[in-house]
Amino acid sequence: MAVSKPMTESRVPVVRIPGASILMPAPWLFFLRNKAKSIPLFMLVSLSVVVIVSVGAMTDSVLTTAYRSSVRFFEQASTIVSKQAGIESDLVERVALIPSVGSMIPFLDSAVRVEGLLGSEPRHVLAVRACDADSVLNALGLTVRRGRLPEPGMPEIAIHEDIAKSRKTRIGSVIGREVDPRDYLWGAFVVSGILSGEAPICIASLDYFEKQWMASTGDQHYAYIVFPKAGELRSANDALSRLPDTAVSIATIDTEMQKYRSEYANTRLFLWITDLLVVVIVSVAMGLVNTIYFHGRLREFALMAATGRTPSQLLARVMSEVLALASVGYCAGLAVAQMVLWALSAGVFSSRGIAIEYVSLRSAALAAPVPVLLSMFSTATIGYSLYTLDFVSIMEGKDSC
């Protein structure tokens, strides 16, 4: 006579229900046995994560690029720009005597145009004396990767490698408004060298810039770069802030960060709105789909209720199922987003000199609410039915809810 194996030896994952004499399948087994229903939900979660993470990463790319081009310079230096025809010698001496100031280098500035992720963007051009060029490069962490720095008094320019890639220029190319009317740089400049480093800055000849001015400032200089002594940027900036604002304009890391935050506040707002809309839409969609699936499982839940499962326990089971599926979909979405961003960077943006951020903790955190909110919304839509479930009528086929 054959003896059947005890139920506890079955290979099917089971969960023992307290107070009941029956073993129920593990909560996640439903999705493994019903792939036609679980795959659409899985794809819905994954694609929503891909959208949120990709938008977040590309937004971070815009913000990072803007920071590098407009603020990074001021992590190492500050600038003093005259509001008149030049900076008086007594004011120059006053700045030079500040204990935390290391050096002052006269300069003039301009900008070149590059194609950014959202359109045209400026990149700084610093016109300095040939004898100061190496000091400026060292202080800013820049090196000459190819070619050379501009000759004194010559219409030449050394450009950053990111700018060269964006503009598709090389050593010997000519840039400037005379070549491209859309450019910000007046005149025509021959590219003499390619720079590399964190700050995308170009170097030109101060002697040449001064020759192009309609009015001469004589022995006075119009602007200075102020480099602090090591570790004393804050102290130097505090001293500079006390200079008379009627004579000069001071730009420091604090003033530029204020401009940066103000200018890109709407970019962050756009990111949060996009994130919120995607989460809400996907949460509603998944909640409705789960409700439909729930009504197809009424007999299963009625059986669990008949064996002693309370409505709260049934609700916890539903939430654990959805949360498990949403969590797996979230992880898969991060992996797919990484591949999407890599493909966009390698195939589209890298050749244009546009750096694309990959999945970071920040962009991943933006999508973190997806599995939680989806589980909460799905659970809420099913909760009412569970608490009003008449399992006797359902088992008898008299009622469907």
Side-chain angles (χ1 to χ4, degrees):
M1 178 177 178
V3 179
S4 60
K5 293 183 178 181
M7 196 170 186
T8 53
E9 295 183 11
S10 173
R11 295 183 179 180
V12 178
V14 295
V15 175
R16 185 179 297 276
I17 302 177
S21 59
I22 187 171
L23 298 174
M24 301 304 298
W28 43 266
L29 197 60
F30 169 79
F31 289 113
L32 292 181
R33 290 178 171 177
N34 296 270
K35 295 182 177 62
K37 295 180 179 181
S38 60
I39 289 177
L41 295 177
F42 174 82
M43 293 294 295
L44 190 63
V45 177
S46 298
L47 291 177
S48 67
V49 172
V50 171
V51 171
I52 293 174
V53 172
S54 298
V55 171
M58 286 190 283
T59 303
D60 283 346
S61 300
V62 173
L63 297 176
T64 299
T65 300
Y67 183 88
R68 288 181 62 212
S69 62
S70 61
V71 183
R72 181 64 60 81
F73 167 83
F74 293 94
E75 292 181 355
Q76 284 83 31
S78 302
T79 61
I80 303 174
V81 179
S82 175
K83 291 184 177 180
Q84 303 167 2
I87 300 178
E88 298 289 343
S89 58
D90 59 340
L91 188 57
V92 174
E93 293 177 2
R94 176 178 171 182
V95 174
L97 291 175
I98 296 175
S100 53
V101 169
S103 62
M104 295 178 63
I105 294 177
F107 84 108
L108 290 173
D109 70 330
S110 185
V112 295
R113 174 185 171 274
V114 299
E115 289 290 346
L117 190 61
L118 300 179
S120 297
E121 298 176 358
R123 297 290 183 265
H124 287 296
V125 175
L126 301 180
V128 298
R129 297 176 301 191
C131 61
D132 295 325
D134 287 334
S135 298
V136 172
L137 292 181
N138 291 334
L140 298 179
L142 298 172
T143 58
V144 180
R145 184 169 184 177
R146 295 190 300 275
R148 58 173 175 78
L149 294 173
E151 293 288 343
M154 298 299 294
E156 296 178 339
I157 187 171
I159 66 176
H160 193 275
E161 58 185 349
D162 290 348
I163 301 173
K165 189 180 295 184
S166 175
R167 297 178 61 107
K168 295 179 172 57
T169 58
R170 56 177 62 95
I171 295 176
S173 300
V174 181
I175 64 174
R177 187 165 291 188
E178 290 186 11
V179 180
D180 183 357
R182 299 175 301 167
D183 208 342
Y184 308 135
L185 182 64
W186 284 97
F189 291 77
V190 178
V191 177
S192 64
I194 304 297
L195 308 177
S196 64
E198 278 298 308
I201 289 174
C202 305
I203 298 294
S205 169
L206 178 61
D207 295 336
Y208 180 78
F209 267 50
E210 288 180 337
K211 286 193 301 184
Q212 308 309 306
W213 278 44
M214 298 297 294
S216 174
T217 58
D219 294 334
Q220 299 177 357
H221 289 289
Y222 183 76
Y224 284 89
I225 303 174
V226 179
F227 289 105
K229 293 179 180 178
E232 298 193 41
L233 177 64
R234 176 64 58 187
S235 176
N237 288 343
D238 289 341
L240 293 177
S241 66
R242 292 191 287 270
L243 296 178
D245 57 7
T246 56
V248 293
S249 175
I250 309 296
T252 66
I253 183 68
D254 293 329
T255 62
E256 297 311 300
M257 276 300 297
Q258 184 177 0
K259 294 177 184 178
Y260 170 78
R261 293 192 182 100
S262 175
E263 185 172 353
Y264 289 94
N266 289 337
T267 304
R268 296 188 182 278
L269 180 61
F270 163 79
L271 175 61
W272 283 108
I273 291 176
T274 302
D275 184 18
L276 178 63
L277 288 175
V278 172
V279 170
V280 170
I281 292 172
V282 175
S283 297
V284 172
M286 189 170 179
L288 295 177
V289 172
N290 272 328
T291 301
I292 295 173
Y293 288 172
F294 166 76
H295 282 281
R297 301 171 61 191
L298 288 179
R299 287 184 177 274
E300 175 188 344
F301 284 100
L303 176 60
M304 287 189 286
T307 57
R309 206 71 161 172
T310 66
S312 297
Q313 291 172 319
L314 294 176
L315 190 61
R317 181 186 181 89
V318 171
M319 188 168 186
S320 65
E321 289 179 354
V322 179
L323 183 59
L325 182 68
S327 299
V328 174
Y330 171 79
C331 295
L334 291 180
V336 174
Q338 180 79 351
M339 292 187 289
V340 168
L341 291 170
W342 178 85
L344 288 174
S345 177
V348 181
F349 296 110
S350 179
S351 60
R352 303 181 184 184
I354 301 174
I356 294 295
E357 298 283 329
Y358 292 156
V359 177
S360 63
L361 289 177
R362 172 182 167 77
S363 56
L366 288 173
V370 171
V372 177
L373 293 181
L374 294 187
S375 301
M376 292 176 61
F377 188 87
S378 299
T379 304
T381 58
I382 299 172
Y384 176 77
S385 297
L386 287 175
Y387 278 94
T388 58
L389 183 66
D390 185 352
F391 65 88
V392 175
S393 297
I394 293 173
M395 295 299 291
E396 293 176 352
K398 299 179 180 179
D399 195 1
S400 60
C401 63

